[in-house]
């Protein structure tokens, strides 16, 4: 969860600091847990349309109906 918190913080910064976006995207991609990865990518997808296809694919890979639905719902508002 520590990596997810770091990635989440980077995503929040990246919204207002475009120069932080590549680092935030790479950090999200490195998350091992599929739910956390999908969630972090969805955070970035809000203001990085180019990350949306990757975020959707990550959400589809999440195991467990509840977690997968949650990841897809988070992303749905930006699609």
């Amino acid at each position: 969860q520590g990596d997810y918190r770091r990635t989440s913080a980077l995503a929040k910064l990246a919204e207002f600091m475009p120069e932080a976006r590549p680092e935030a995207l790479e950090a999200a991609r490195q998350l091992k847990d599929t739910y956390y990865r999908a969630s972090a990518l969805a955070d970035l997808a809000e203001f990085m349309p180019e990350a949306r296809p990757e975020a959707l694919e990550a959400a589809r890979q999440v195991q467990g109906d509840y977690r997968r639905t949650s990841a897809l719902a988070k992303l749905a508002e930006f699609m």
Side-chain angles (χ1 to χ4, degrees):
Q1 265 188 338
D3 288 340
Y4 174 72
R5 288 184 182 150
R6 175 183 172 274
T7 301
S8 183
L10 282 170
K12 288 182 185 352
L13 284 173
E15 182 175 1
F16 303 103
M17 298 176 59
E19 64 273 15
R21 292 177 182 176
E23 183 180 354
L25 184 58
E26 187 56 35
R29 288 174 173 157
Q30 297 301 316
L31 292 171
K32 302 277 189 245
D33 183 282
T34 56
Y35 175 74
Y36 289 139
R37 183 171 53 251
S39 184
L41 288 167
D43 287 342
L44 295 171
E46 178 178 0
F47 52 86
M48 290 181 70
E50 67 275 16
R52 291 175 185 168
E54 187 174 354
L56 179 59
E57 183 57 33
R60 288 178 175 155
Q61 293 177 8
V62 173
Q63 299 296 309
D65 291 341
Y66 178 80
R67 291 180 84 188
R68 183 173 41 259
T69 301
S70 177
L72 287 166
K74 185 174 184 177
L75 182 59
E77 63 186 277
F78 310 118
M79 297 299 278

